[in-house]
Amino acid sequence: MRAIVLVGGFGTRLRPLTMTRPKQMLPVLDRPMIEWVIERLVDAGVEEVVLSLGYLPDAFRQAYPDQKCAGAALRYAVESSPLDTAGAIRFAAAEAGLGADNEPFLVVNGDVIADLDLPALLALHRDAGAEATIALTRVEDPSRYGVVPIDDAGRVEAFIEKPAPEAAPSHWINAGAYVLEPTVVDRIPPDRRVSIERETFPQLVAARSLFARQDDAYWIDAGTPATYLQVQLDLLSRVSGMQANHVAATAAVAPTATVARSVVMDGAHVAPQAFVAGSVLLPGAEVCKGARVVSSIVGAGARIGTGADLDELCVVGDGVTVPDDLVLRARRLPDED
């Protein structure tokens, strides 16, 4: 089985952390986000992954020089200009020869970490004779996503991208994982931006060849500060228990510091009397004496000065110094929560 992973976006919602790296190369606990994504594909039987690249593609080449990641062989398809979701799929499929064997392939978003049952998705696709099949997940607020109502057979009745909350016909949304037949690629116009959500899927709905499977498994879009922090704490709970920490072997936490349900990555340092709770310290970050970091993300090599106080989802960029005794509270726009 082969798969495309869409990793070409600029990661604007996670700035400043993504100013110097693609978001899928941001660390989650002990490894880059992309490795969590590909590991789940390998568990589902995927042997080769095509990375659909755009923004800072060399970050992936440098990280995986042998073109292997989490047990899968890697191929790279680098867009010269952004092609949007469907355009990127067409380009990557052409670059890697996907569909030449008339076999379906998987597509997943590279910023979604989930336990979706991909073999069951593939089985439904084959049993239904579908042209494309979408994994669905349930969310409380569907207005930020593509809402997908289906009939009793799983056939998609409509694809409604980002409806107003009061107009959403369902809480089941596009989970960013698809099985596609090669004929779907043929439907995508070449050499221009094409959205699979706004163009390709509505065409398939009209052709009655689009199916979907509802899945209650764990799912999170890790592409915002809130969800990038949340996925770390979720995985931490799964691995070590609700009140545990992840402290890398090369990190240093002073005996008089307090670290509670947080992730302290390689080379990070927490000084005496510092307090860190519900937060993530990226590699090499420093929290100085008496500083307080709560529900926040501290970038690689950043320094939180003596007595500084961060709370309410502050995001400190790589290498930034927060002055001593400064109090910071994040201000987020509505689509960044």
Side-chain angles (χ1 to χ4, degrees):
M1 190 73 183
R2 304 170 77 190
I4 294 172
V5 180
L6 301 175
V7 292
F10 291 96
T12 54
R13 297 177 299 169
L14 272 171
R15 288 179 179 172
L17 299 175
T18 51
M19 298 297 289
T20 56
R21 59 166 90 73
K23 62 183 169 183
Q24 294 84 7
M25 289 305 298
L26 283 167
V28 173
L29 295 188
D30 57 352
R31 53 194 136 145
M33 185 188 303
I34 188 65
E35 295 189 19
W36 290 91
V37 175
I38 292 178
E39 182 180 70
R40 281 151 176 76
L41 290 172
V42 169
D43 289 344
V46 170
E47 297 177 344
E48 182 179 84
V49 168
V50 184
L51 295 183
S52 173
L53 304 173
Y55 179 59
L56 300 178
D58 287 345
F60 296 94
R61 293 188 176 115
Q62 292 166 7
Y64 308 107
D66 59 354
Q67 293 186 241
K68 295 185 183 300
C69 177
L74 293 183
R75 296 188 65 166
Y76 304 121
V78 184
E79 303 169 10
S80 58
S81 60
L83 295 171
D84 211 332
T85 46
I89 290 168
R90 180 186 173 97
F91 178 80
E95 287 287 296
L98 270 68
D101 54 3
N102 291 317
E103 288 296 315
F105 56 90
L106 285 163
V107 178
V108 299
N109 290 342
D111 56 1
V112 169
I113 294 178
D115 294 330
L116 299 169
D117 190 338
L118 297 177
L121 186 71
L122 184 61
L124 171 62
H125 178 84
R126 288 175 167 154
D127 291 346
E131 196 172 357
T133 306
I134 309 170
L136 306 182
T137 190
R138 193 182 188 283
V139 297
E140 289 304 312
D141 178 12
S143 63
R144 294 174 53 199
Y145 304 97
V147 178
V148 187
I150 60 175
D151 66 16
D152 291 342
R155 181 178 278 109
V156 175
E157 298 176 324
F159 196 94
I160 306 165
E161 184 68 6
K162 297 181 179 178
E166 66 277 5
S170 167
H171 285 266
W172 289 95
I173 64 149
N174 172 16
Y178 323 124
V179 182
L180 303 182
E181 292 293 325
T183 54
V184 175
V185 176
D186 296 336
R187 290 179 177 271
I188 303 169
D191 304 322
R192 71 169 176 87
R193 295 178 65 98
V194 185
S195 166
I196 198 167
E197 300 87 356
R198 297 184 185 279
E199 292 191 49
T200 311
F201 286 156
Q203 290 178 19
L204 294 170
V205 170
R208 295 179 55 78
S209 59
L210 181 63
F211 285 74
R213 180 181 183 273
Q214 297 173 344
D215 196 323
D216 286 320
Y218 176 82
W219 180 94
I220 191 167
D221 170 358
T224 71
T227 56
Y228 176 64
L229 177 58
Q230 186 62 50
V231 73
Q232 312 257 4
L233 302 183
D234 289 347
L235 293 173
L236 177 62
S237 297
R238 182 183 300 183
V239 171
S240 303
M242 286 298 294
Q243 303 305 317
N245 298 306
H246 172 83
V247 179
T250 58
V253 177
T256 58
T258 298
V259 176
R261 198 171 177 242
S262 293
V263 175
V264 183
M265 297 186 182
D266 288 329
H269 178 73
V270 183
Q273 285 85 55
F275 181 83
V276 178
S279 295
V280 172
L281 309 182
L282 270 64
E286 180 182 6
V287 181
C288 294
K289 183 177 180 180
R292 178 178 178 270
V293 179
V294 177
S295 301
S296 294
I297 303 166
V298 181
R303 180 180 183 274
I304 310 304
T306 300
D309 187 338
L310 279 63
D311 205 337
E312 300 178 13
L313 201 56
C314 291
V315 181
V316 179
D318 294 350
V320 170
T321 295
V322 175
D324 295 352
D325 300 315
L326 185 67
V327 176
L328 289 177
R329 300 292 183 266
R331 178 182 176 275
R332 302 250 160 239
L333 298 174
D335 63 352
E336 292 181 309
D337 58 11

